[in-house]
Amino acid sequence: MSAEGGTKAIVAALLANTGIAISKFVAAGITGSASMLAEGVHSVADASNQVLLLIGGKASRKAASPAHPFGYGRERYIYAFIVSIVLFSIGGVYALYEGYHKISHHEDLKTPLVAVVVLVIAIVLESFSLRTAVKESNAVRGKQTWVQFIKGSRSPELPVILLEDIGALVGLILALFGVGLSWITGNVVFDALGTMAIGVLLVGIAIVLAIEIRSMLIGESATHEDIAAIEGAIKQDGTSSLIHLKTLHVGPDELLVAAKVAIDRTETGEQVAAEIDAAEARIRAAVPKAKLIYIEPDIRRTDAPAAEGA
């Protein structure tokens, strides 16, 4: 996944959410709408999340050190996981509380037209932000469905921004319905229910993000396509057979490859070294993100063929 594409989507979302948050808080102060206040907090949470993703991206580019010989690529996963926590606690839980508070303490809306206008403008701006995220994601998504892309991505930024933008757009629509129905009926309960619906939405998105990023933090293998390309690169010259292969993402754009290959017992050490060097070069050519490669030679058994995947 292109880090540049992810950064572009993050910056677009950050600019949109900053402007939207300011307008929402102004409208909430004028109208007294709980939905507007919850949406303002939601936008602040989203903007904070985008700052966290940018910090994580910068931190991940630090050079490897003796204490961290495989580098800092997983910093991007850590900050993305913090994003899910922020979205859950600040965005979702606060919206649920504010909705409950609104039901408990009935406060009539003032000048609801202001809230409606701000929400419509915010929907337009958020749509542009989502369009950018979709465009950048399509550049790397290939033939995957959107669900497959979010679940299978080894890079956190674009899936996070996609889910955030979708959540923000749906939340704005819910807020618009809540404010609109309260304005039409004169019953502020609709505003409160809209706020609580936003809370449920954000908590749900935060849980999905936490589950997906947790898997990245634990350590995910290469994609099926990359594994197939690596296996093909190892077997390409026909002089060695693959016994087993393990891969691990040490960062979104860095892949650790560990393989055991069977060689003929008649080969010299120099021949084995040359074969391993050639295999490493083929792997890097086939999968450029495979930057850490360790290939262990073993003697090929003469009484039975090597069992791949053993």
Side-chain angles (χ1 to χ4, degrees), residues 112-164:
L113 179 61
V114 173
V116 171
V117 171
V118 169
L119 286 170
V120 170
I121 294 173
I123 287 172
V124 173
L125 293 175
E126 198 65 60
S127 297
F128 280 111
S129 177
L130 178 59
R131 179 177 176 273
T132 300
V134 169
K135 181 181 178 181
E136 297 301 326
S137 297
N138 279 332
V140 294
R141 183 167 64 97
K143 297 181 179 179
Q144 298 178 91
T145 65
W146 285 108
V147 173
Q148 290 172 335
F149 173 68
I150 291 171
K151 289 180 66 65
S153 175
R154 300 303 190 264
S155 184
E157 288 85 0
L158 285 176
V160 168
I161 293 299
L162 272 171
L163 288 176
E164 274 192 352

